Amino acid sequence: MNLFDHWSAGLPYEAFVTKYGSDADKTRWQRVLDQSVLNPAQTALLAKFTRKMPVLCLAGAWCGDCASQCPMFRRFAEVNPKIDLRFLDRDDHADVQKELQICGGNRVPVAVFFSEDGHEVSRFGERTLSQYRQLMQQAVGESCATGLTAPDDPLPARILQDWLNEFERVQCILRLSPRLRRKHGD
C-alpha cells in the first residue's frame, strides 16, 4: 500500500479535531496543546528544517495517547510550515489501520513521514520510549533504566522531546538524501 496516496485525504489538525472530537475530546486536545510549550532550543531546531516533510498521522480523537501527543505535532508545524501535517481517523480508514498495525494490533497514534515527492521515510508511534519506560516501571519495577533523563523531568516534556527527535531524524534523512540534494542543488 502506498500510504502517501492517503495523505491527501487527511485533515489538518483543527478540522480533524472538529470533525471527530466530542466536546470532551476537544477540551483534552486543547489542554495538551496549551501545555505543549517548546523551549528556545527546540524552536530554533524546528526553524532550521529546510525540506518539505509531509506527515500523516493515524489517530482517534477519543484516544488518550493521541490526545496527549498529537497536539505536540501541531506545535512543531506551527514553528515550521515545511511540516505539512495531516490526520486520518483510525476507524474511518480501516485499510490504513491494518497497514500500520504495531505488534499485530491496531494502535494509535502512528505517524508516517514522507519526502516532498511521496516516498515513505519513517513510521513512528504509538508511544515513545519515555512513555514505555514509565509503563515498564509501573508494571514490573525498575527496568531498562539508562539514566539519560532526569527523574524530575516531567513526562510530557520527555514525550515532546522524543517526538521532536523523530521529526529531526526524518529531516536529517531528507536533508542528506543524495536524490533530494541533486534535485535541490544543495
Side-chain angles (χ1 to χ4, degrees):
M1 169 184 290
N2 181 348
L3 290 169
F4 192 68
D5 292 341
H6 295 273
W7 178 83
S8 61
L11 297 174
Y13 179 92
E14 292 81 5
F16 175 79
V17 175
T18 299
K19 180 174 181 177
Y20 292 103
S22 67
D23 288 343
D25 298 331
K26 292 172 190 173
T27 298
R28 284 191 313 168
W29 283 59
Q30 186 61 48
R31 185 174 47 248
V32 172
L33 182 63
D34 293 342
Q35 294 169 352
S36 297
V37 178
L38 300 169
N39 67 40
Q42 292 167 328
T43 300
L45 172 70
L46 284 163
K48 291 180 185 176
F49 287 10
T50 60
R51 292 280 192 257
K52 184 176 177 187
M53 185 167 49
V55 180
L56 177 65
C57 184
L58 184 68
W62 49 266
C63 170
D65 285 327
C66 296
S68 69
Q69 297 175 82
C70 295
M72 296 173 183
F73 312 159
R74 178 171 175 229
R75 281 287 178 240
F76 301 162
E78 287 173 348
V79 172
N80 193 320
K82 300 280 186 190
I83 300 169
D84 198 345
L85 182 60
R86 306 279 179 93
F87 290 87
L88 287 179
D89 181 73
R90 184 195 85 165
D91 297 329
D92 278 358
H93 296 274
D95 55 338
V96 176
Q97 176 181 299
K98 184 172 175 48
E99 178 71 19
L100 295 177
Q101 287 183 336
I102 296 174
C103 198
N106 298 329
R107 307 303 298 254
V108 286
V110 178
V112 183
F113 299 83
F114 301 96
S115 64
E116 62 196 54
D117 51 358
H119 292 278
E120 187 174 323
V121 179
S122 177
R123 297 178 184 192
F124 192 77
E126 80 331 326
R127 293 182 178 130
T128 71
L129 181 58
S130 294
Q131 289 170 288
Y132 273 111
R133 284 181 178 150
Q134 180 175 346
L135 290 170
M136 285 292 293
Q137 172 107 22
Q138 293 168 348
V140 296
E142 188 66 32
S143 180
C144 301
T146 64
L148 296 177
T149 59
D152 60 345
D153 191 15
L155 184 61
R158 293 193 318 260
I159 294 168
L160 185 141
Q161 187 61 54
D162 288 344
W163 276 104
L164 182 57
N165 290 344
E166 183 62 14
F167 275 73
E168 179 186 13
R169 187 181 81 84
V170 170
Q171 185 61 205
C172 290
I173 292 169
L174 294 171
R175 185 61 184 87
L176 296 173
S177 162
R179 180 179 63 79
L180 293 175
R181 292 190 78 184
R182 278 191 304 276
K183 178 179 178 179
H184 292 284
D186 58 6

Tab-separated table of all heavy atoms in Angstrom, residues 40-64:
chain	number	residue	atom	x	y	z
A	40	PRO	N	13.341	27.495	23.727
A	40	PRO	CA	14.013	28.205	22.626
A	40	PRO	C	14.892	27.300	21.752
A	40	PRO	O	14.920	27.473	20.528
A	40	PRO	CB	14.852	29.265	23.353
A	40	PRO	CG	14.098	29.521	24.620
A	40	PRO	CD	13.538	28.188	25.018
A	41	ALA	N	15.562	26.333	22.340
A	41	ALA	CA	16.412	25.442	21.548
A	41	ALA	C	15.564	24.570	20.621
A	41	ALA	O	15.935	24.337	19.460
A	41	ALA	CB	17.274	24.571	22.465
A	42	GLN	N	14.430	24.101	21.105
A	42	GLN	CA	13.541	23.284	20.276
A	42	GLN	C	12.955	24.111	19.134
A	42	GLN	O	12.884	23.648	17.991
A	42	GLN	CB	12.430	22.678	21.137
A	42	GLN	CG	12.932	21.646	22.120
A	42	GLN	CD	11.902	21.273	23.174
A	42	GLN	OE1	11.072	22.093	23.581
A	42	GLN	NE2	11.966	20.032	23.643
A	43	THR	N	12.561	25.326	19.438
A	43	THR	CA	12.021	26.218	18.416
A	43	THR	C	13.079	26.525	17.362
A	43	THR	O	12.794	26.491	16.156
A	43	THR	CB	11.501	27.515	19.062
A	43	THR	OG1	10.475	27.174	20.001
A	43	THR	CG2	10.945	28.472	18.023
A	44	ALA	N	14.290	26.804	17.798
A	44	ALA	CA	15.379	27.096	16.857
A	44	ALA	C	15.674	25.890	15.969
A	44	ALA	O	15.916	26.041	14.761
A	44	ALA	CB	16.638	27.521	17.621
A	45	LEU	N	15.653	24.701	16.545
A	45	LEU	CA	15.892	23.491	15.764
A	45	LEU	C	14.824	23.335	14.679
A	45	LEU	O	15.144	23.138	13.500
A	45	LEU	CB	15.890	22.260	16.676
A	45	LEU	CG	15.935	20.917	15.962
A	45	LEU	CD1	17.298	20.692	15.314
A	45	LEU	CD2	15.612	19.796	16.924
A	46	LEU	N	13.565	23.434	15.055
A	46	LEU	CA	12.480	23.292	14.085
A	46	LEU	C	12.558	24.356	12.992
A	46	LEU	O	12.283	24.072	11.820
A	46	LEU	CB	11.127	23.375	14.793
A	46	LEU	CG	10.723	22.133	15.572
A	46	LEU	CD1	9.610	22.460	16.562
A	46	LEU	CD2	10.285	21.023	14.627
A	47	ALA	N	12.928	25.556	13.357
A	47	ALA	CA	13.014	26.652	12.391
A	47	ALA	C	14.072	26.393	11.324
A	47	ALA	O	13.991	26.942	10.219
A	47	ALA	CB	13.304	27.964	13.116
A	48	LYS	N	15.031	25.536	11.608
A	48	LYS	CA	16.106	25.229	10.660
A	48	LYS	C	15.720	24.172	9.629
A	48	LYS	O	16.464	23.951	8.673
A	48	LYS	CB	17.354	24.758	11.412
A	48	LYS	CG	18.018	25.842	12.221
A	48	LYS	CD	19.233	25.303	12.939
A	48	LYS	CE	19.839	26.339	13.846
A	48	LYS	NZ	20.968	25.803	14.610
A	49	PHE	N	14.592	23.519	9.794
A	49	PHE	CA	14.186	22.497	8.825
A	49	PHE	C	14.008	23.156	7.456
A	49	PHE	O	13.304	24.162	7.333
A	49	PHE	CB	12.872	21.836	9.232
A	49	PHE	CG	12.944	20.894	10.407
A	49	PHE	CD1	14.073	20.786	11.212
A	49	PHE	CD2	11.861	20.096	10.709
A	49	PHE	CE1	14.115	19.914	12.287
A	49	PHE	CE2	11.881	19.209	11.777
A	49	PHE	CZ	13.020	19.120	12.570
A	50	THR	N	14.621	22.575	6.433
A	50	THR	CA	14.540	23.158	5.097
A	50	THR	C	13.782	22.301	4.092
A	50	THR	O	13.337	22.813	3.078
A	50	THR	CB	15.946	23.424	4.536
A	50	THR	OG1	16.661	22.177	4.480
A	50	THR	CG2	16.703	24.423	5.399
A	51	ARG	N	13.648	21.027	4.357
A	51	ARG	CA	12.950	20.141	3.421
A	51	ARG	C	11.477	20.033	3.797
A	51	ARG	O	11.134	19.897	4.969
A	51	ARG	CB	13.547	18.734	3.438
A	51	ARG	CG	14.933	18.619	2.901
A	51	ARG	CD	14.944	18.582	1.377
A	51	ARG	NE	16.264	18.195	0.924
A	51	ARG	CZ	17.165	19.034	0.425
A	51	ARG	NH1	16.876	20.311	0.298
A	51	ARG	NH2	18.343	18.598	0.047
A	52	LYS	N	10.636	20.056	2.774
A	52	LYS	CA	9.212	19.821	2.990
A	52	LYS	C	9.048	18.413	3.536
A	52	LYS	O	9.683	17.471	3.063
A	52	LYS	CB	8.436	19.990	1.696
A	52	LYS	CG	6.949	19.858	1.887
A	52	LYS	CD	6.179	20.122	0.614
A	52	LYS	CE	4.703	19.901	0.892
A	52	LYS	NZ	3.912	19.981	-0.330
A	53	MET	N	8.208	18.273	4.550
A	53	MET	CA	8.029	16.993	5.231
A	53	MET	C	6.534	16.741	5.443
A	53	MET	O	5.968	17.120	6.465
A	53	MET	CB	8.778	17.010	6.573
A	53	MET	CG	8.759	15.704	7.297
A	53	MET	SD	9.934	15.596	8.680
A	53	MET	CE	9.657	17.082	9.592
A	54	PRO	N	5.890	16.088	4.479
A	54	PRO	CA	4.502	15.680	4.720
A	54	PRO	C	4.467	14.603	5.810
A	54	PRO	O	5.270	13.670	5.803
A	54	PRO	CB	4.058	15.104	3.374
A	54	PRO	CG	5.036	15.640	2.371
A	54	PRO	CD	6.317	15.793	3.124
A	55	VAL	N	3.543	14.758	6.748
A	55	VAL	CA	3.391	13.802	7.848
A	55	VAL	C	1.922	13.397	7.912
A	55	VAL	O	1.041	14.256	7.981
A	55	VAL	CB	3.819	14.414	9.204
A	55	VAL	CG1	3.654	13.404	10.330
A	55	VAL	CG2	5.255	14.931	9.142
A	56	LEU	N	1.690	12.088	7.882
A	56	LEU	CA	0.349	11.538	8.014
A	56	LEU	C	0.250	10.878	9.370
A	56	LEU	O	1.061	10.013	9.703
A	56	LEU	CB	0.084	10.500	6.913
A	56	LEU	CG	-1.258	9.783	6.967
A	56	LEU	CD1	-2.408	10.774	6.746
A	56	LEU	CD2	-1.296	8.673	5.920
A	57	CYS	N	-0.729	11.283	10.159
A	57	CYS	CA	-0.908	10.714	11.486
A	57	CYS	C	-2.239	9.990	11.557
A	57	CYS	O	-3.294	10.597	11.374
A	57	CYS	CB	-0.844	11.801	12.552
A	57	CYS	SG	-0.951	11.139	14.228
A	58	LEU	N	-2.178	8.701	11.808
A	58	LEU	CA	-3.367	7.904	12.044
A	58	LEU	C	-3.708	8.059	13.519
A	58	LEU	O	-2.865	7.809	14.388
A	58	LEU	CB	-3.097	6.440	11.698
A	58	LEU	CG	-4.290	5.496	11.814
A	58	LEU	CD1	-5.330	5.817	10.745
A	58	LEU	CD2	-3.821	4.053	11.685
A	59	ALA	N	-4.922	8.494	13.799
A	59	ALA	CA	-5.262	8.827	15.183
A	59	ALA	C	-6.756	8.603	15.434
A	59	ALA	O	-7.517	8.311	14.521
A	59	ALA	CB	-4.911	10.291	15.466
A	60	GLY	N	-7.116	8.771	16.679
A	60	GLY	CA	-8.510	8.781	17.100
A	60	GLY	C	-8.687	9.925	18.075
A	60	GLY	O	-7.931	10.038	19.040
A	61	ALA	N	-9.646	10.787	17.824
A	61	ALA	CA	-9.857	11.932	18.714
A	61	ALA	C	-10.208	11.478	20.125
A	61	ALA	O	-9.929	12.173	21.101
A	61	ALA	CB	-10.949	12.841	18.164
A	62	TRP	N	-10.790	10.301	20.257
A	62	TRP	CA	-11.202	9.725	21.535
A	62	TRP	C	-10.026	9.138	22.318
A	62	TRP	O	-10.138	8.867	23.500
A	62	TRP	CB	-12.214	8.609	21.271
A	62	TRP	CG	-11.704	7.668	20.207
A	62	TRP	CD1	-11.978	7.736	18.869
A	62	TRP	CD2	-10.789	6.584	20.366
A	62	TRP	NE1	-11.297	6.746	18.191
A	62	TRP	CE2	-10.557	6.020	19.090
A	62	TRP	CE3	-10.142	6.018	21.461
A	62	TRP	CZ2	-9.713	4.932	18.883
A	62	TRP	CZ3	-9.300	4.934	21.250
A	62	TRP	CH2	-9.093	4.405	19.962
A	63	CYS	N	-8.920	8.905	21.656
A	63	CYS	CA	-7.785	8.153	22.209
A	63	CYS	C	-6.940	9.017	23.145
A	63	CYS	O	-6.476	10.090	22.756
A	63	CYS	CB	-6.939	7.639	21.048
A	63	CYS	SG	-5.353	6.943	21.539
A	64	GLY	N	-6.713	8.530	24.351
A	64	GLY	CA	-5.894	9.260	25.319
A	64	GLY	C	-4.461	9.448	24.861
A	64	GLY	O	-3.876	10.518	25.061
